[in-house]
Amino acid sequence: MYACNLLNSLTSVRYRIEPDQKESTAVNAKTYQHCDPLMLLETVGYDKEIFTDWVSLFLTQSEEQFESVVQTVASGDMKKLEFETHALKGTVGQTGAEKLVEMLIAVESEAHSGHCDCPPERLEMIRAELMAARVEMQHYLDHGEFPEG
């Protein structure tokens, strides 16, 4: 029952781009609050094709990985939770989502110690941060400037 309630409460948290963001045609990566697209651009040598592929992979995998974290929290399997949060942390790490990475490090560390307190509110905060980073990365992909390396 707890797992069902947890999954239901988390599916209601969603983020969307505000109308003024949709109209932007050139966006400076420094305006982002939940990720750092220039960090990823630098990592891939300012290659727009690789950046685009990586962001697409991030957008697909991060949501799936987060759902695995939620299900694992509900199961109480600390070893698996450590693995799932580590995997998600690796997926989001290159996006410069520092606050999200810090949140995942804390969960991973707690799971490693054998006890992780992950009430729905904590998972909602992680989801919100992840969704905000996802929205910003998609927005940069759609509207950002791609400087040459």
Side-chain angles (χ1 to χ4, degrees):
M1 183 67 160
Y2 173 74
C4 291
N5 291 338
L6 177 64
L7 291 173
N8 288 337
S9 69
L10 292 175
T11 56
S12 66
V13 179
R14 297 284 182 239
Y15 282 79
R16 58 188 149 81
I17 298 173
E18 296 301 320
D20 62 325
Q21 288 177 309
K22 289 180 183 175
E23 297 170 9
S24 176
T25 55
V27 178
N28 183 331
K30 293 178 183 173
T31 63
Y32 292 98
Q33 298 175 2
H34 302 279
C35 65
D36 183 358
L38 287 181
M39 180 178 165
L40 178 57
L41 271 170
E42 184 178 314
T43 300
V44 300
Y46 298 93
D47 185 308
K48 185 177 180 179
E49 185 176 335
I50 294 172
F51 178 84
T52 301
D53 289 346
W54 203 96
V55 170
S56 296
L57 195 63
F58 162 72
L59 293 172
T60 302
Q61 287 186 347
S62 63
E63 189 162 5
E64 292 170 2
Q65 289 174 319
F66 179 75
E67 293 309 321
S68 290
V69 167
V70 170
Q71 291 173 359
T72 304
V73 165
S75 78
D77 184 339
M78 292 297 113
K79 287 257 186 229
K80 187 173 181 188
L81 180 58
E82 180 183 4
F83 174 81
E84 296 293 344
T85 54
H86 182 81
L88 180 55
K89 182 182 69 172
T91 299
V92 302
Q94 294 300 316
T95 66
E98 292 177 13
K99 182 177 179 183
L100 178 57
V101 168
E102 288 173 11
M103 296 166 93
L104 293 170
I105 287 171
V107 172
E108 180 183 13
S109 176
E110 290 173 28
H112 180 75
S113 73
H115 176 73
C116 182
D117 184 27
C118 274
E121 298 80 16
R122 185 177 188 188
L123 290 172
E124 287 176 15
M125 289 173 45
I126 293 170
R127 180 189 293 275
E129 197 63 32
L130 175 60
M131 291 301 121
R134 289 168 45 85
V135 166
E136 288 182 0
M137 288 302 286
Q138 181 66 57
H139 186 259
Y140 189 83
L141 186 62
D142 294 341
H143 305 288
E145 298 172 359
F146 289 88
E148 297 301 317

